Amino acid sequence: MGLTKQYLRYVASAVFGLIGSQKGNIVFVTLRGEKGRYVAVPACEHVFIWDLRKGEKILILQGLKQEVTCLCPSPDGLHLAVGYEDGSIRIFSLLSGEGNVTFNGHKAAITSLKYDQLGGRLASGSKDTDTIVWDVINESGLYRLKGHKDAVTQALFLREKNLLVTSGKDTLVKWWDLDTQHCFKTMVGHRTEVWGLVLVSEEKRLITGSSDSELRAWDIAYLQEMDDLEEPEPKKSRGSPPGIQDTPEPRDGTLETDETPEDRILTCRKAGSIMREGRDRVVNLAVDRTGRILACHGTDSVLEVFCILSKAEVQKKMDKKMKKARKKAKLNSSKGEEEDLEVNVEMTLQDEIQRVTNIKTSAKIKSFDLIHSPQGELKAVFLLQNNLVESYSLSPSASAPQAVRTSRITLGGHRSDVRTLSFSSDNIAILSAAAESVKIWNRATLQCIRTMTCEYALCSFFVPGDRQVVVGTKTGKLQLYDLASGNLLETVDAHDGALWSLSLSPDQRGFVTGGADKSVKFWDFELVKDENSTQKRLSVKQTRTLQLDEDVLCVSYSPNQKLLAVSLLDCTVKIFYVDTLKFFLSLYGHKLPVICMDISYDGTLIATGSADRNVKIWGLDFGDCHKSLFAHDDSVMYLQFVPKSHLFFTAGKDHKIKQWDADKFEHIQTLEGHHQEIWCLAVSPSGDYVVSSSHDKSLRLWERTREPLILEEEREMQREAEYEESVAKEDQPVVPGETQGDNYFTGKKTIETVKAAERIMEAVELYREETAKMKEHKAICKAAGKEVPLPINPILMAYGNISPSAYVLEIFKGIKSSELEESLLVLPFSYVPDVLKLFNEFIQLGSDIELLCRCLFFLLRIHFGQITSNQMLVPVIEKLKETTISKVSQVRDVIGFNMAGLEYLKRECEAKSEVMFFADATSHLEEKKRKRKKREKLILTYT
């Protein structure tokens, strides 16, 4: 069957106009060996790397569909962990910009990511209340920690101990022993959500921030240190009988007893509080990598910076305090005799944690990051609420430290949502206007070439000739700008209320405006004498006014300029004759006001989009409704026909752009990409490009390809995508001995894990078939008395003519490490006996011992009951036991020998070169280079 009508596919081309989105956090990253120059910011589903010095975007880490919610750089600075809205985590290489590792384990958005000191493990917290620890090197999950009753807000590894501390919105702080994977201590001293926590003072103190203006400090004492101290005698109260000890009073809600099991690892007692200046909740709480600078901010635009003093500095401060107290005591003493006065000076928390300064930013802070340079300067970078990145520097050691703004990235986007978009007649320039500025973008390079300040813009268009633009504002003004100079040529008071809509006349000599003052006004372009120069400039003059009974929401000319369509607040669209302004038709049927409409190029159809989520297609000859389409799941915000066709695009508050055929009343395709409400779109005069703007601050460019789009195939792809989503949402497979919903494995069922399990099943079935064929072939050869050629399986031939058992091993090696356990969990038990027999063969051969042991132990763990009760598998398990123990010990010996060899080589190299190895050596070399450059500069200046 031939194609009846061919459509061309539109695809996402680029995201621009966005500096950083609000859901994630900003972090410093190390690129090209430079620290403190580059920052990574979330940008919808991507991550942008910005150069603070140049204000340029130097790298884009391409995401898939979901929005980025959390970022964390690795300690070595080579990788960046990125958490997403759907609970997935990807690890990108900052050298290549590729994301090779993906972890799927959480069911909801990632809220916290943190590496351990060496960068080998990654802890992730999520809105699904779970914390998962991932092995980054092996690319697999280690364990899932369940215990919080609400979203996890922060997770931190301890450097010296194998412990993890997490905080949550359930007001709890939990301590986890990672050797046994259980929570050994829960701190209940907070009355509200705990939004952040940090470890300072060599991990001897924990500082938490919650929904009040208090930062709580907790002293941590570990078991080894407590054993060294002499145990004091238990205090007896006056009224207690002999041998009975008083229970200490709870501090701030925590019951601290001397003999609790949780105190066997560490004790945590409240040391005091630091009062913040802000009265709202703590949004972010962080320390720099040296652990010396502590900073926090609330929902306002102030970052409060504190300095954690060293022991020597605290002692110095206390000596000064003591000296002052003695002096004061001497003066107050009435005795004239010289005698030693006993003066007690108590050390408070304020003596150890000192307020440095406040950093005031230009807008509300969404997230920040700190870096302490070796010179003692502190750099702070901020992602602000209004699509802006700012960086500040200050010297904490100065007597009166003042924060100085060092850079600001503003050019790449608007401060507020873009409410109007327009294309120039040559398809090259794009106009975008928001509440504070009008920007002109080059479509090819996506660079901003002009920025002009304006009032709150609602509608706009390029004046014929593309040298000027007209903008309609919320205050009812028309603003006329010259693009060459970027100057505001003229401001005209057009309407008393908001100016909702503009429509350029087809003869290009004027335009029409519609506003909230219930009037439609007609304007003509004219040239007037410029007061500042001898040349004439463009201006506008009003010619006619059409007064109506309701507010005007949208106006549109017909292509032949005979008719004018006006959308009113009473949910109707009125059609008037342009020449006489007489009423022609009334289009009624929408339940809510018509927000947008457009007339086709031949003037036969008018399409209207309404807040009632419907799009109606009408004939302009009689005003009859051809079709009513349920277009979006929320209000239809914008509608525009593709030039010279009856296809049109609609944009809705449901984050989607849809293309429709007005002749066949069919939905052609959906363009998904925006993460929040779409306000407007513009189709280029050639129809090759579509640009859209959204509440997520991003502008997106969509491009028409040469690829034909067949509706049946499109529907099939849609159904497949829905099926894949439903598979992922199904209940997780239950391991024998566990209840439904209690999943302690780190993975989660996805379409990839289901496909991987299917590949294993197909490989095992092929192995069974080929083994049966081999037996038949041997019987045929025996009967015939000669060698008969064996037909080779094409799949095995494609893999290099390998054996069926080797093909099964190749399939196992091809499964991603992070998806292996979940794939085996989905695998039916009927395939397990064959897999175990094959594992025995492979382990005897000594191939991929680590991978095979991991699969073997996992299968034994989840199918233990069935395997032990199956008499046929007893000899297989016995053989596996022998071979596995011997082969694993061989691998361990090889690794031990190699480690010893490397240690020997390291010692030899250090002895020869007399310098520290690896990282220390490189830093020493860099320092030498810096000194040489300074010397060269000095020589140049003297000469």
Side-chain angles (χ1 to χ4, degrees), residues 909-938:
C909 291
E910 284 177 2
K912 280 179 186 177
S913 57
E914 294 179 354
V915 292
M916 292 307 288
F917 207 50
F918 295 135
D920 297 332
T922 54
S923 62
H924 189 64
L925 192 69
E926 281 172 12
E927 204 173 323
K928 275 185 177 177
K929 280 182 184 175
R930 266 191 237 111
K931 282 180 182 175
R932 200 184 302 135
K933 278 182 184 176
K934 273 186 185 176
R935 228 177 282 130
E936 285 170 6
K937 281 180 185 175
L938 284 167

Side-chain angles (χ1 to χ4, degrees), residues 16 51 71 98 218 286 302 402 445 461 707 854 872 874 894:
F16 64 106
D51 184 341
L71 300 177
E98 292 176 3
W218 310 80
V302 177
Q402 285 293 322
T445 62
F461 67 84
E707 180 194 346
R854 189 177 154 197
M872 302 286 288
V874 171
V894 169

Side-chain angles (χ1 to χ4, degrees), residues 867-906:
I867 290 169
T868 50
S869 59
N870 191 333
Q871 293 298 317
M872 302 286 288
L873 288 174
V874 171
V876 178
I877 296 296
E878 286 294 331
K879 283 179 187 174
L880 272 168
K881 185 183 169 185
E882 292 168 18
T883 51
T884 305
I885 291 167
S886 61
K887 292 293 177 183
V888 168
S889 60
Q890 279 179 25
V891 171
R892 196 186 289 127
D893 292 343
V894 169
I895 292 168
F897 181 82
N898 290 344
M899 288 288 287
L902 287 168
E903 283 292 328
Y904 172 74
L905 286 171
K906 181 182 171 182

Side-chain angles (χ1 to χ4, degrees), residues 15-30:
V15 179
F16 64 106
L18 181 64
I19 293 167
S21 51
Q22 309 301 311
K23 277 195 176 176
N25 59 307
I26 189 168
V27 290
F28 276 108
V29 290
T30 306

